[in-house]
Amino acid sequence: MPRGKQKSLKKEIVLNAPAREHKTFNNQLIFDNSPPDNKFLFGCLLCFVALGLFSILHHVMWRDELEAWMMARDASSLGELFNNIKYQGHPALWFVTLYALSRITPNPVIMQMFHLALAVGTVYVALRFAPFTKIQKVLFIFGYYPFFEYCVISRNYAFGLLLLLIFLSMFRPGLRPGVKKNYINLSIVLFILCQTNPYGAVIAIALALTLLFELIFLNDATSPISTKTKWQFAAGAIIFACGLLVSAAQMHPPHDSVWYHPTFLHDNKLVMLTKFLEAVAFIWRAYVPIPMFNMHFWGHNFVSHLFADPINAVKATVVLSIILLIFSLTLFLRRRLALFYYTVGTFGIVLFSYAIYGGSIRHWGHYFIVFVSAVWLSNLYEVKPFNSGASQTGVLNKICEFKICKFIEDKRGAIFTAFLVVNVVAAITANTLNYLYPFSANKETATFIKDNGLDKMPILGDKDYAVSGVAAYLNRPIYYPTTQRHATFIIWDNKREGVNASNILKYAGQYLLMEKQDILLVLTYPPSKDSLAMYNNVSFIKAFENSTLYEERFLLFIMKYAPH
């Protein structure tokens, strides 16, 4: 047989096939890490770049994307940048990157192009190194998170996914003779992963503990760990610990932050239990992120639309999440390292969601990312055969003997593929709706203001966090009555005023007297009827309600100034 065909056949020894189809030698799993053929690799990359670029260019950035950009763009120095981001609860890596990009051009499109480059890097690593079948690789890269959430929407989570896959590509299974694991390089990757976002730090902790678990419990008894390996591991542990401390110092919010949480304990145990179950319920939303096909799709799960009572919808997602969690744990029962990593990573995110921040779909997606990376790790290790007979010991071995567990084990490749297919459906839905409807009305609002010369007027905006996107597209500050200052991005301290529909015109009147000229009001809600009756110098201009995000629909008003 020609050498080329031998090589191609060798690459088809895929580790997600049933255990009996794995080929082993000397009790080690044979895994060929040679690159896929260039036609497949670069063909998939070109398709991803073309479709990703199309989706990004048709995506209207929302406030979280633009707020990070404005913080970096408006900083005159790195010191000012760190002062700008101290209330964000995120490490500085993404913001420093944007600071460098904003020195090239003030146009935020450069941020989108860089974010696409991160997504393409993730796709390359997955196609080149992931121990999946070709169809699974294609399904993964065009799944909801790599193709929409962490590609089209420019946030720091794409950095985290890329670094996680780089770590996995560098990971070498086992501590046997001939297996080289560079703990220094792995720890450097974990150091940087800690600097991406809080969920990246949680996953980095899980990976670091997994390395320790492997060193203690999975080393070959016949081959003692060398002194050199021990020193490398110790040095790597120091590097990782430094990265975690640096990250924690940046993420810890000031005491005057609205995000400051001195404790996650509560006197009411029922409240604690409810909050914990809500964190668990996010697992279903992460694994099955299929929304309803309508304008307001983002962050909404189709299950929620099956129940008239929202409480019943939450109960259903809790039950479904627990079923998914048990099901996923069963997939890794005979792969101890993957089981350990999946358990630590998943429950780490559950605890973070419970104790710190519940989050949204972009945060919950890390549940599924942990699942995929656990499958990656599980495919690198030899499958432990089911034991039979009275001599069997151990709780896990007894559980593995159940027929349902054996069935899941035999079908694990098909099950993983099914999860990936579900995520592709979600990605197609999200990208289609992203094309059909503007993600936010902020760009349309800013365009109207510019086209009609209204950007020359003093502008007041509320709710400030939503209107900040309009400020970004106008490329100018807006007066925010919530903080009583002119600004672009938001300062999330506890000095924020309670501005609402009943008193917004009072604040607008005060601003009118300050400016002594007509002012433009950009609001996310209409003023109350009583306040409109009191201020007869306010006239409605236009509404912009074509937006995926409810909070980023805008109403324009003009308040006339009369010298008397």
Side-chain angles (χ1 to χ4, degrees):
M1 181 181 293
R3 179 172 294 182
K5 289 195 174 183
Q6 287 180 342
K7 189 174 182 180
S8 65
L9 284 176
K10 187 180 180 184
K11 288 188 290 183
E12 289 300 321
I13 300 174
V14 180
L15 302 180
N16 72 313
R20 60 178 177 274
E21 294 179 12
H22 287 301
K23 296 188 177 181
T24 60
F25 180 72
N26 290 339
N27 207 32
Q28 295 187 40
L29 191 65
I30 297 174
F31 173 61
D32 178 49
N33 201 33
S34 59
D37 61 88
N38 289 336
K39 289 183 179 179
F40 171 76
L41 177 62
F42 292 105
C44 290
L45 276 175
L46 286 175
C47 287
F48 186 91
V49 170
L51 294 173
L53 183 61
F54 178 85
S55 295
I56 282 176
L57 293 179
H58 287 84
H59 171 69
V60 179
M61 288 179 281
W62 72 302
R63 60 181 181 266
D64 275 20
E65 298 172 85
L66 293 167
E67 183 173 73
W69 174 255
M70 290 186 291
M71 287 180 169
R73 182 199 63 193
D74 296 347
S76 58
S77 65
L78 283 174
E80 185 176 343
L81 173 66
F82 277 87
N83 185 65
N84 289 345
I85 68 174
K86 65 182 180 181
Y87 293 100
Q88 289 295 297
H90 284 279
L93 178 61
W94 177 243
F95 300 96
V96 172
T97 304
L98 297 185
Y99 178 82
L101 292 173
S102 65
R103 304 308 104 169
I104 301 173
T105 173
N107 192 331
V109 171
I110 192 175
M111 172 179 68
Q112 292 182 293
M113 295 302 102
F114 177 78
H115 195 265
L116 176 61
L118 291 178
V120 171
T122 298
V123 168
Y124 174 81
V125 176
L127 292 173
R128 170 63 179 81
F129 296 104
F132 305 149
T133 63
K134 285 185 176 180
I135 186 63
Q136 287 173 342
K137 290 180 180 181
V138 172
L139 292 173
F140 171 69
I141 67 173
F142 288 106
Y144 179 80
Y145 299 105
F147 188 41
F148 180 74
E149 196 67 42
Y150 305 146
C151 174
V152 176
I153 302 175
S154 299
R155 294 298 309 279
N156 53 11
Y157 307 107
F159 251 136
L161 179 57
L162 173 59
L163 287 164
L164 170 59
L165 296 197
I166 289 175
F167 178 94
L168 295 174
S169 70
M170 297 167 58
F171 187 86
R172 298 294 179 268
L175 295 168
R176 306 177 180 88
V179 176
K180 295 182 179 180
K181 186 185 263 88
N182 193 319
Y183 288 110
I184 303 296
N185 290 345
L186 289 172
S187 297
I188 291 173
V189 175
L190 292 183
F191 182 104
I192 304 173
L193 180 57
C194 287
Q195 314 313 313
T196 58
N197 59 76
Y199 299 90
V202 171
I203 293 175
I205 293 171
L207 291 170
L209 292 176
T210 301
L211 290 175
L212 179 62
F213 176 84
E214 181 194 48
L215 185 70
I216 296 175
F217 296 104
L218 299 184
N219 62 305
D220 190 344
T222 61
S223 302
I225 302 172
S226 66
T227 303
K228 180 181 178 181
T229 299
K230 292 179 181 178
W231 278 109
Q232 283 188 346
F233 185 88
I238 294 173
I239 292 171
F240 165 71
C242 291
L244 189 60
L245 290 174
V246 170
S247 175
Q250 296 173 78
M251 291 188 292
H252 185 71
H255 288 271
D256 63 340
S257 169
V258 296
W259 309 116
Y260 182 73
H261 296 274
T263 178
F264 59 84
L265 297 177
H266 198 281
D267 294 335
N268 191 327
K269 304 304 181 195
L270 181 60
V271 171
M272 293 176 61
L273 176 62
T274 302
K275 191 177 178 183
F276 181 81
L277 290 177
E278 286 178 349
V280 173
F282 301 149
I283 294 176
W284 168 266
R285 292 173 175 264
Y287 282 47
V288 189
I290 299 178
M292 293 296 289
F293 198 87
N294 58 40
M295 180 190 296
H296 308 295
F297 71 94
W298 193 52
H300 297 278
N301 194 272
F302 75 96
V303 169
S304 301
H305 295 266
L306 302 180
F307 299 87
D309 186 353
I311 300 299
N312 291 333
V314 173
K315 292 178 180 178
T317 52
V318 169
V319 173
L320 291 170
S321 296
I322 293 174
I323 292 172
L324 272 181
L325 181 59
I326 296 173
F327 190 83
S328 300
L329 287 168
T330 306
L331 281 176
F332 306 120
L333 281 180
R334 296 199 294 163
R335 294 162 174 81
R336 288 182 291 169
L337 184 111
L339 178 64
F340 177 85
Y341 164 70
Y342 177 77
T343 304
V344 174
T346 299
F347 282 98
I349 297 174
V350 168
L351 290 176
F352 183 87
S353 301
Y354 159 73
I356 307 298
Y357 185 59
S360 186
I361 184 66
R362 59 193 180 278
H363 310 113
W364 309 331
H366 292 86
Y367 282 117
F368 188 71
I369 297 304
V370 167
F371 171 73
V372 172
S373 52
V375 173
W376 183 315
L377 288 175
S378 72
N379 287 345
L380 299 179
Y381 277 81
E382 179 183 2
V383 178
K384 297 293 183 182
F386 285 116
N387 295 324
S388 60
S391 62
Q392 178 181 323
T393 58
V395 176
L396 286 181
N397 285 335
K398 291 179 180 179
I399 294 175
C400 288
E401 282 296 327
F402 290 132
K403 290 183 178 180
I404 183 64
C405 294
K406 290 185 176 181
F407 175 82
I408 293 174
E409 173 63 35
D410 288 340
K411 302 297 182 183
R412 66 188 304 270
I415 291 169
F416 179 54
T417 302
F419 277 118
L420 296 178
V421 169
V422 168
N423 273 260
V424 170
V425 172
I428 293 173
T429 304
N431 278 289
T432 301
L433 292 169
N434 180 68
Y435 172 75
L436 293 176
Y437 304 107
F439 205 69
S440 169
N442 52 27
K443 187 176 183 179
E444 183 186 7
T445 304
T447 300
F448 178 87
I449 291 173
K450 286 181 178 180
D451 291 346
N452 290 273
L454 301 177
D455 56 325
K456 305 298 189 295
M457 302 172 61
I459 302 176
L460 175 146
D462 199 65
K463 301 287 188 179
D464 58 347
Y465 52 82
V467 178
S468 64
V470 179
Y473 279 112
L474 288 175
N475 196 23
R476 56 154 289 179
I478 287 177
Y479 180 76
Y480 299 129
T482 301
T483 53
Q484 298 186 23
R485 70 186 187 106
H486 289 87
T488 52
F489 59 87
I490 308 304
I491 295 178
W492 292 98
D493 58 21
N494 57 13
K495 300 180 180 64
R496 299 168 62 79
E497 297 282 342
V499 181
N500 53 49
S502 63
N503 62 14
I504 180 60
L505 294 185
K506 181 188 75 171
Y507 286 96
Q510 295 171 355
Y511 182 56
L512 184 75
L513 294 177
M514 289 169 51
E515 294 296 327
K516 293 183 172 55
Q517 60 177 302
D518 296 351
I519 64 172
L520 176 68
L521 277 60
V522 183
L523 305 178
T524 60
Y525 53 85
S528 65
K529 293 181 180 179
D530 291 340
S531 61
L532 284 171
M534 292 176 59
Y535 293 86
N536 56 10
N537 60 336
V538 177
S539 57
F540 172 73
I541 303 298
K542 190 174 175 63
F544 302 88
E545 299 181 327
N546 196 26
S547 170
T548 293
L549 302 179
Y550 281 106
E551 288 185 315
E552 300 205 10
R553 298 174 294 175
F554 304 100
L555 304 171
L556 299 185
F557 299 85
I558 286 183
M559 178 176 274
K560 293 288 186 178
Y561 175 70
H564 62 278

